């Protein structure tokens, strides 16, 4: 197990170094940081002094090493647009994105798991057919289209929910939350539903496939033969054995939700990391772009590594294969 952990940790470190190299190339060679940081009245001597102070005259390896060292310490430099420390901006925006992703994940599980069970145990019912049709629509429609339709329906036509913004928030230390205020919870509904649409269909289809296979297992037949009620067999015995793949999928999809929340955040003007990244791209704010790329990549790598470790802990054959060089 120790060899497996060391190998997965080394793989994760290698991936992050590769991502850091990509972020550094974007940071270093796309645009001139000096020209973006100085004002129009700056002299050539001011530019030379700033370039020297930033270490831009050093060699590629030296600059890359310094970039990685600073990134490990959480130092991504100063935003060109806001003239603030990048990590301060990330800390301000991360709570909004995290809460959006958290609520979207909860919605996907609360809706997707029962829908998957229903479509598996009542395959020919009208409700199951409607859910299947809804899953096809959910997979086919882009998230920004879903967001626009939700705004038209529940904000413009009915006026039930706000169409943009985060509502009123409460500060708990450096963390800001809208979950403790009525307007914050109301503002969270539409973007969370929009972001969760694709995830709901994934969970539902996975649960349906796993349930159909599990219901054919021998222990399910034995439970029915002993007279165990059908609902108990379906919702306790069968469903319990279907949840491991769902948990794995959910853990891996959290990274996707954080990465692709930028579309939803743009549609709903949600003040999260995705919105910050879109603004950084618009104004060519390279330090923010590099920091976003590294942070999202780190989330992906950590989640995938944790999934690998969990699988290896549950199934010793995986770590044995890895120790022999097959994993």
């Amino acid at each position: 197990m120790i060899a497996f952990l060391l190998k997965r940790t080394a793989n994760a470190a290698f991936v992050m170094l590769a991502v850091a190299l990509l972020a550094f190339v974007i940071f270093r060679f796309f645009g001139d940081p000096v020209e973006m940081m100085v004002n129009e009245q700056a002299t050539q001597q001011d530019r030379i002094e700033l370039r020297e102070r930033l270490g831009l005259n050093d060699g590629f390896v030296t600059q890359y090493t310094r970039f990685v060292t600073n990134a490990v310490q959480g130092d991504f430099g100063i935003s060109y647009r806001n003239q603030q420390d990048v990590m301060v901006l990330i800390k301000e925006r991360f709570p909004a994105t995290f809460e959006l992703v958290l609520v979207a994940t909860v919605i996907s599980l609360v809706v997707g798991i029962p829908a998957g069970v229903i479509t598996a145990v009542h395959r020919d019912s009208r409700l199951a057919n409607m859910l299947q049709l809804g899953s096809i629509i959910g997979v086919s429609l882009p998230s920004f289209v879903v967001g626009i339709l939700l705004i038209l329906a529940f904000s413009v036509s009915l006026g039930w929910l706000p169409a943009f913004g985060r509502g009123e928030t409460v500060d708990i230390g450096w963390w800001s939350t809208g979950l403790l205020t009525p307007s914050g919870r109301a503002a969270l509904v539409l973007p969370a539903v929009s972001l969760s649409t694709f995830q709901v269909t994934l969970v539902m289809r996975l649960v349906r496939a796993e349930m159909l296979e599990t219901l054919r297992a021998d222990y399910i037949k034995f439970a029915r033969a002993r007279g165990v009620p059908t609902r108990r067999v379906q919702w306790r015995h069968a469903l319990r054995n279907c949840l491991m793949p769902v948990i794995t999928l959910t853990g891996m999809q959290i990274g996707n939700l954080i990465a692709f929340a930028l579309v939803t955040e743009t549609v709903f003007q949600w003040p999260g990391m995705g919105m910050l990244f879109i603004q950084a791209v618009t104004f060519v704010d390279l330090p923010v772009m590099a920091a976003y790329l590294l942070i999202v990549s780190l989330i992906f790598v950590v989640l995938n590594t944790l999934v690998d470790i969990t699988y290896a802990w549950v199934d010793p054959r995986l770590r044995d294969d890895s120790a022999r060089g097959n994993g």
Side-chain angles (χ1 to χ4, degrees):
M1 188 65 179
I2 295 177
F4 178 85
L5 292 176
L6 291 176
K7 184 175 181 179
R8 285 296 181 265
T9 303
N11 290 341
F14 177 78
V15 171
M16 287 308 303
L17 286 174
V19 173
L21 178 61
L22 176 61
F24 173 73
V25 170
I26 294 174
F27 180 81
R28 179 65 181 84
F29 295 104
F30 288 82
D32 188 354
V34 173
E35 294 299 327
M36 296 179 183
M37 296 179 71
V38 300
N39 54 42
E40 297 179 355
Q41 289 75 32
T43 64
Q44 185 62 28
Q45 183 62 32
D46 294 333
R47 290 177 169 83
I48 294 174
E49 292 177 355
L50 179 58
R51 184 174 296 275
E52 185 66 30
R53 189 164 65 250
L54 295 176
L56 298 179
N57 295 326
D58 297 334
F60 180 88
V61 176
T62 301
Q63 291 188 52
Y64 174 65
T65 303
R66 182 166 55 241
F67 177 80
V68 172
T69 303
N70 292 338
V72 170
Q73 298 172 358
D75 181 8
F76 295 99
I78 304 298
S79 167
Y80 297 158
R81 174 173 177 259
N82 299 284
Q83 293 298 305
Q84 287 182 268
D85 189 279
V86 173
M87 273 312 290
V88 173
L89 295 175
I90 296 293
K91 286 181 179 180
E92 290 176 354
R93 301 298 188 99
F94 182 76
T97 297
F98 179 81
E99 289 186 356
L100 176 60
V101 170
L102 177 64
V103 175
T105 302
V106 172
I107 292 174
S108 68
L109 295 176
V110 170
V111 176
I113 292 176
V117 175
I118 291 172
T119 55
V121 301
H122 304 291
R123 294 192 293 274
D124 299 324
S125 67
R126 182 175 299 178
L127 177 58
N129 291 331
M130 291 176 60
L131 291 174
Q132 287 281 72
L133 177 61
S135 71
I136 296 174
I137 296 174
V139 169
S140 304
L141 287 179
S143 60
F144 71 90
V145 174
V146 175
I148 293 173
L149 293 176
L150 289 174
I151 291 173
L152 288 175
F154 295 98
S155 296
V156 177
S157 299
L158 300 175
W160 290 352
L161 297 167
F164 62 90
R166 198 183 175 195
E168 185 181 356
T169 60
V170 175
D171 292 332
I172 304 176
W174 66 272
W175 189 274
S176 63
T177 178
L179 297 175
L180 301 180
T181 63
S183 63
R185 291 191 293 269
L188 187 58
V189 173
L190 292 186
V193 171
S194 175
L195 184 60
S196 68
T197 302
F198 184 74
Q199 181 81 354
V200 167
T201 60
L202 287 181
V203 172
M204 178 185 130
R205 292 186 171 204
L206 179 60
V207 171
R208 181 178 186 274
E210 293 291 329
M211 281 289 293
L212 289 175
E213 182 177 353
T214 303
L215 290 174
R216 292 192 293 265
D218 290 338
Y219 74 93
I220 296 296
K221 297 177 182 178
F222 293 150
R224 286 174 172 169
R226 293 202 319 266
V228 177
T230 301
R231 291 181 62 86
R232 184 175 181 181
V233 170
Q234 295 169 348
W235 291 92
R236 291 192 60 181
H237 297 280
L239 179 59
R240 183 178 300 174
N241 288 276
C242 297
L243 292 182
M244 185 62 182
V246 174
I247 294 172
T248 302
L249 174 70
T250 301
M252 298 182 68
Q253 285 295 317
I254 289 176
N256 287 333
L257 291 177
I258 292 176
F260 299 113
L262 59 90
V263 177
T264 302
E265 291 183 4
T266 302
V267 172
F268 291 93
Q269 294 297 293
W270 187 261
M273 288 176 57
M275 192 67 182
L276 179 65
F277 178 74
I278 293 296
Q279 293 171 349
V281 172
T282 303
F283 293 94
V284 198
D285 198 343
L286 299 179
V288 175
M289 294 166 61
Y292 179 86
L293 177 61
L294 281 173
I295 290 173
V296 172
S297 299
L298 178 62
I299 293 172
F300 269 103
V301 169
V302 170
L303 289 176
N304 280 277
T305 302
L306 290 177
V307 168
D308 288 343
I309 293 173
T310 303
Y311 269 146
W313 179 68
V314 173
D315 189 350
R317 293 173 298 177
L318 294 176
R319 58 176 182 262
D320 292 340
D321 290 342
S322 179
R324 291 193 296 266
N326 300 325

